[in-house]
Amino acid sequence: MKHALISCFLLLLAACDGPSNPKVAATEQLSELPKDDHSYSNLNQIRTKHLHLDLEVDFQSKKIYGIASHTMINNGADTAIFDIKGLQIQKVTLGKKGHEKETSFAIGPMDKDSIIGQALLVDVEPSTTKVNIYYQTTENSDALDWLDSSLTSSKNKPFLYTQGQAILTRTWIPCQDSPSNRITYSASVKVPADLMALMSARNPKKRALDGHYHFELTKPIPSYLIALAVGDIRYHAFSANSGVYAEKELIDACAREFVAIPKMIDAAEQLYGPYRWDQYDVLVLPYSFPFGGMENPMLTFANPTLITGDRSLVSVIAHELAHSWSGNLVTNHNWNDFWLNEGTTVYFENRIMEALYGKEIADILALVEFDELQDEIASMNQSAHPEDSKLHMELAGRDPDDAMTDVAYVKGAFFLKSLEAKVGRQKFDAFLKGYFAHFAFQTIDAIRFIDYLNADLLKKDKLSFNYNEWIYEKGLPKNCLQLESVRLNSMIQSAHLFAQGKLSFKPKYQYKTKRIHGRKRRVKTNIHTQYQDRIIQEWQLFIRNLPSDLSINKMRELDRDLHFSATGNSEVLTEWFILSAKTGYAVQIRPVLERFLVKVGRRKYVLPIYDALMQNPKTKHLASELFEKAKNNYHAVTRKSVAEIVK
């Protein structure tokens, strides 16, 4: 996209508020950009070192009015290029506050696929180190999710949150939006006095009476980790350096659900070194949040679907905590190597879960994800992009969200698991601990990872491992680690027996005589499997292994005996709704399905459900009807993805 854009820059339009006769950026500069196909920024010539934000959050107009003040390292450039999308730029000045001088700027055309947005070119002097951009957000600022009170837990207070990954920070802050440039930031934020503001920085524990908040993050991060949330929020502390924020209606349930966070931090530090971000807090957002969690430093964003009452989905918190090392501390240089963030994190998450809950549970979690990976690779092989099953991707001209698949997450994790099995856990743990320390607060790509892997592990111990096949070739290599779980195998067998009519879950009981307090009593004992007898991941595999042509009567029988439609666990509900779509049972349980899709905006859940509905002619109409009802409750990330399926 960049190369096609260069020839267009002679047609750049000057913003009407800027001084007349703006200089046109030299096309030579555009050809010297760092290797990031998703940013216009001329980081080699001039780059942001620190960003200060002055923000006013206006819920009435659903706009943020801001000044983005960039303190920059200038290597003699006469133009600074920033990324923007869906922003209105009012003016740009140079110099410190009180000594500002307005300068010319120009805005390039939208890229042809409307993926990376526009370039904001600002005239600077070779000695300029301070650029101040005055702007406001618009309805096209896709990072922002403005929630009316009806979509919050309180039902009487609005909520706002941002979601910047991968390249949406440019839709609410004019910035050099490339993960290759790590910056520090500060912010002064004005919000309504009855709401609290939080950011990915050191946060307040109580609401400010005047609605003014100040934030500082003194450790450098990529721009996609700048995050803001505003709502009627409370705080519960777990320890001196950890706690949870949530709307007041949810705070008690969140406190019970995430009580293991201090133990997770201890387990993570025992594995791979000290936690480097001082504070670890979680903010539970409203249901429209498109992901299970987002690893914003010092303030993980979490989806309320994690609140199950039985702590069965806390592995998501372990995952986001692990990002404090892999992703936040050591970051992928560009989105082609997204697996360096996510694969390492899934591996690390699994080690935390093993430390807290044992190897059997950790292996079950890994195998459920591996099952999903195999399905995804099979689907990719039939798609327009079978090459997407490589870890290293070539994403020029594509949305970097295309890399957010099980390949980056689970294939990446099994690459590291297989490497660990080859070299031994002790050596591998020493390698990974050294990796986090060596590349702390830096960005790396696959080449730098391979160089370090060879130097610090393989060559040093005279070991061989086919990392190229894992990173640069499609599918799963033959040396992929094979895990086994007796419990999961049993559930798969149960699914086959049930489909053949050889197994029933209808409750069965027997009576035994037992001596209790010296007297004989008859005790009723369940002798058949009930829902609560298995963990969530076992039921996931059971449902996945039922045939897609299972009869409506058999589906109704399962619902009667195991109450899948009534479960409060979104992982099981998602599997059940997918199977219901395939079998046509979704028509029978439409009210339950509708409530779920209207309420929950997490992409992991809603995308496969809509996809399954569209695949069955008997349920295809449901997909469009339910999306029409639900779409305004989704974040733009989810809404656009579902629209692609339903259209």
Side-chain angles (χ1 to χ4, degrees):
M1 280 180 287
K2 285 181 189 165
H3 300 298
L5 188 67
I6 291 172
S7 61
C8 297
F9 266 100
L10 294 176
L11 302 176
L12 289 171
L13 301 176
C16 58
D17 292 332
S20 58
N21 301 320
K23 290 188 295 182
V24 177
T27 56
E28 292 79 18
Q29 285 184 304
L30 296 175
S31 66
E32 297 172 5
L33 298 178
K35 179 60 176 173
D36 188 340
D37 293 307
H38 299 98
S39 175
Y40 295 106
S41 306
N42 55 338
L43 294 170
N44 289 339
Q45 287 79 44
I46 184 169
R47 65 180 179 86
T48 302
K49 180 181 180 182
H50 179 81
L51 171 65
H52 177 73
L53 299 168
D54 285 293
L55 305 175
E56 181 176 352
V57 178
D58 187 343
F59 278 91
Q60 188 170 5
S61 64
K62 294 187 176 180
K63 291 181 180 179
I64 293 177
Y65 301 91
I67 307 170
S69 297
H70 296 261
T71 301
M72 312 195 77
I73 297 174
N74 190 344
N75 297 320
D78 62 4
T79 305
I81 308 177
F82 302 88
D83 297 300
I84 61 171
K85 186 179 181 184
L87 294 178
Q88 181 180 333
I89 306 301
Q90 295 158 328
K91 69 176 181 178
V92 183
T93 67
L94 307 180
K96 295 181 179 179
K97 191 173 183 178
H99 301 279
E100 297 175 51
K101 180 180 69 174
E102 197 164 346
T103 188
S104 301
F105 65 92
I107 297 175
M110 182 72 74
D111 71 292
K112 66 182 180 68
D113 298 313
S114 300
I115 294 172
I116 65 174
Q118 298 168 282
L120 170 64
L121 295 95
V122 175
D123 279 1
V124 299
E125 300 298 329
S127 59
T128 298
T129 59
K130 195 80 168 182
V131 177
N132 312 292
I133 306 170
Y134 291 69
Y135 71 99
Q136 66 184 46
T137 62
T138 71
E139 65 276 7
N140 296 317
S141 296
D142 286 345
L144 304 179
D145 201 3
W146 299 92
L147 300 179
D148 294 328
S149 57
S150 62
L151 298 176
T152 67
S153 297
S154 70
K155 304 302 180 187
N156 58 24
K157 297 286 180 68
F159 205 105
L160 165 69
Y161 67 86
T162 66
Q163 174 53 43
Q165 194 181 44
I167 55 170
L168 292 182
T169 297
R170 68 193 65 181
T171 73
W172 75 285
I173 303 171
C175 62
Q176 295 180 308
D177 198 14
S178 170
S180 64
N181 189 41
R182 299 181 65 115
I183 63 173
T184 57
Y185 85 92
S186 54
S188 297
V189 183
K190 174 70 171 68
V191 303
D194 59 343
L195 302 177
M196 179 187 283
L198 302 172
M199 294 193 77
S200 50
R202 184 163 292 282
N203 281 296
K205 301 298 186 286
K206 294 182 178 180
R207 179 168 55 87
L209 296 180
D210 63 357
H212 287 86
Y213 296 87
H214 184 75
F215 304 93
E216 297 272 353
L217 185 62
T218 59
K219 296 171 181 177
I221 60 169
S223 54
Y224 72 84
L225 291 176
I226 302 173
L228 170 69
V230 182
D232 187 13
I233 299 167
R234 301 292 186 272
Y235 183 71
H236 174 89
F238 293 125
S239 66
N241 71 330
S242 67
V244 60
Y245 292 92
E247 293 179 271
K248 63 180 185 295
E249 293 79 11
L250 290 178
I251 192 66
D252 291 340
C254 294
R256 290 189 295 270
E257 198 78 16
F258 301 138
V259 68
I261 283 178
K263 292 182 179 179
M264 288 183 177
I265 296 173
D266 290 342
E269 290 188 317
Q270 288 294 318
L271 284 166
Y272 299 125
Y275 178 75
R276 306 280 289 270
W277 303 92
D278 302 325
Q279 185 78 15
Y280 182 76
D281 291 326
V282 173
L283 168 62
V284 177
L285 294 171
Y287 281 93
S288 67
F289 183 51
F291 304 117
M294 180 61 207
E295 64 271 17
N296 306 309
M298 303 181 73
L299 189 69
T300 282
F301 283 5
N303 195 294
T305 56
L306 305 184
I307 311 300
T308 61
D310 59 7
R311 301 170 188 159
S312 58
L313 300 181
V314 294
S315 62
V316 173
I317 301 300
H319 180 93
E320 304 310 330
L321 171 63
H323 266 305
S324 302
W325 285 260
S326 53
N328 296 6
L329 190 63
V330 184
T331 306
N332 48 227
H333 188 73
N334 56 49
W335 299 109
N336 293 337
D337 286 312
F338 184 56
W339 70 274
L340 283 169
N341 278 18
E342 294 298 348
T344 312
T345 298
V346 172
Y347 173 85
F348 194 169
E349 163 206 338
N350 196 249
R351 293 292 303 277
I352 293 173
M353 296 301 289
E354 180 180 328
L356 267 61
Y357 302 104
K359 190 174 188 306
E360 181 184 44
I361 295 299
D363 283 352
I364 287 175
L365 293 171
L367 279 166
V368 169
E369 292 176 334
F370 191 74
D371 185 65
E372 295 167 355
L373 171 65
Q374 290 178 303
D375 286 345
E376 184 133 36
I377 290 176
S379 178
M380 284 175 176
N381 288 338
Q382 303 301 316
S383 74
H385 293 284
E387 71 279 6
D388 283 0
S389 64
K390 302 175 183 179
L391 287 179
H392 174 82
M393 298 179 67
E394 296 294 342
L395 290 169
R398 297 178 63 188
D399 193 320
D401 282 1
D402 290 352
M404 295 183 184
T405 70
D406 285 323
V407 171
Y409 288 76
V410 185
K411 181 181 176 181
F414 269 79
F415 168 38
L416 300 184
K417 282 180 173 291
S418 301
L419 184 56
E420 177 208 318
K422 173 72 174 182
V423 305
R425 175 164 284 190
Q426 186 175 358
K427 288 181 179 178
F428 186 75
D429 279 353
F431 160 76
L432 205 53
K433 188 174 182 178
Y435 165 81
F436 291 133
H438 182 79
F439 292 110
F441 303 108
Q442 298 181 51
T443 66
I444 71 165
D445 57 14
I447 294 173
R448 290 188 76 191
F449 175 83
I450 290 170
D451 288 344
Y452 187 78
L453 174 65
N454 276 320
D456 200 68
L457 183 62
L458 298 180
K459 289 182 179 178
K460 184 171 71 174
D461 292 302
K462 298 180 180 178
L463 299 166
S464 62
F465 189 83
N466 65 336
Y467 50 77
N468 281 322
E469 188 176 352
W470 277 94
I471 296 171
Y472 297 113
E473 295 185 20
K474 295 183 291 185
L476 289 167
K478 293 179 180 179
N479 71 341
C480 180
L481 177 68
Q482 300 296 312
L483 295 178
E484 284 288 332
S485 168
V486 172
R487 289 168 60 172
L488 290 184
N489 289 341
S490 172
M491 293 303 285
I492 294 170
Q493 181 64 18
S494 294
H496 296 159
L497 291 173
F498 178 82
Q500 296 165 16
K502 298 178 182 178
L503 178 65
S504 171
F505 291 97
K506 186 176 182 179
K508 295 180 182 178
Y509 303 95
Q510 67 180 14
Y511 290 87
K512 292 184 178 181
T513 301
K514 292 186 178 181
R515 188 171 293 277
I516 301 175
H517 301 304
R519 299 180 62 181
K520 289 184 177 180
R521 297 183 183 275
R522 292 189 67 191
V523 179
K524 184 179 179 182
T525 305
N526 168 50
I527 61 169
H528 211 67
T529 300
Q530 293 181 315
Y531 179 79
Q532 61 268 28
D533 295 334
R534 303 287 185 175
I535 66 172
I536 295 308
Q537 291 74 21
E538 290 176 284
W539 288 120
Q540 283 182 272
L541 261 292
F542 171 80
I543 297 172
R544 282 182 198 169
N545 282 276
L546 291 169
S548 59
D549 60 352
L550 198 66
S551 71
I552 298 295
N553 285 338
K554 296 293 279 184
M555 292 289 290
R556 193 177 290 117
E557 180 184 338
L558 283 174
D559 228 356
R560 180 197 67 206
D561 296 338
L562 295 171
H563 312 291
F564 283 139
S565 293
T567 179
N569 190 289
S570 297
E571 294 283 347
V572 174
L573 266 179
T574 298
E575 299 294 346
W576 182 241
F577 288 148
I578 291 170
L579 181 63
S580 297
K582 292 177 179 177
T583 61
Y585 185 61
V587 177
Q588 308 285 319
I589 57 169
R590 174 173 177 155
V592 181
L593 175 61
E594 182 173 322
R595 280 197 299 272
F596 183 84
L597 289 177
V598 168
K599 181 179 183 180
V600 175
R602 187 175 170 186
R603 284 205 320 173
K604 176 186 177 183
Y605 298 151
V606 302
L607 293 189
I609 294 172
Y610 279 109
D611 188 53
L613 289 170
M614 289 296 293
Q615 296 300 321
N616 186 346
K618 295 179 181 179
T619 61
K620 194 172 182 178
H621 68 285
L622 280 180
S624 55
E625 291 172 11
L626 296 180
F627 180 54
E628 193 61 31
K629 290 186 176 183
K631 65 182 180 182
N632 291 332
N633 297 351
Y634 296 159
H635 185 279
V637 169
T638 301
R639 187 165 56 248
K640 290 180 179 180
S641 297
V642 176
E644 286 295 313
I645 293 171
V646 173
K647 76 177 184 180

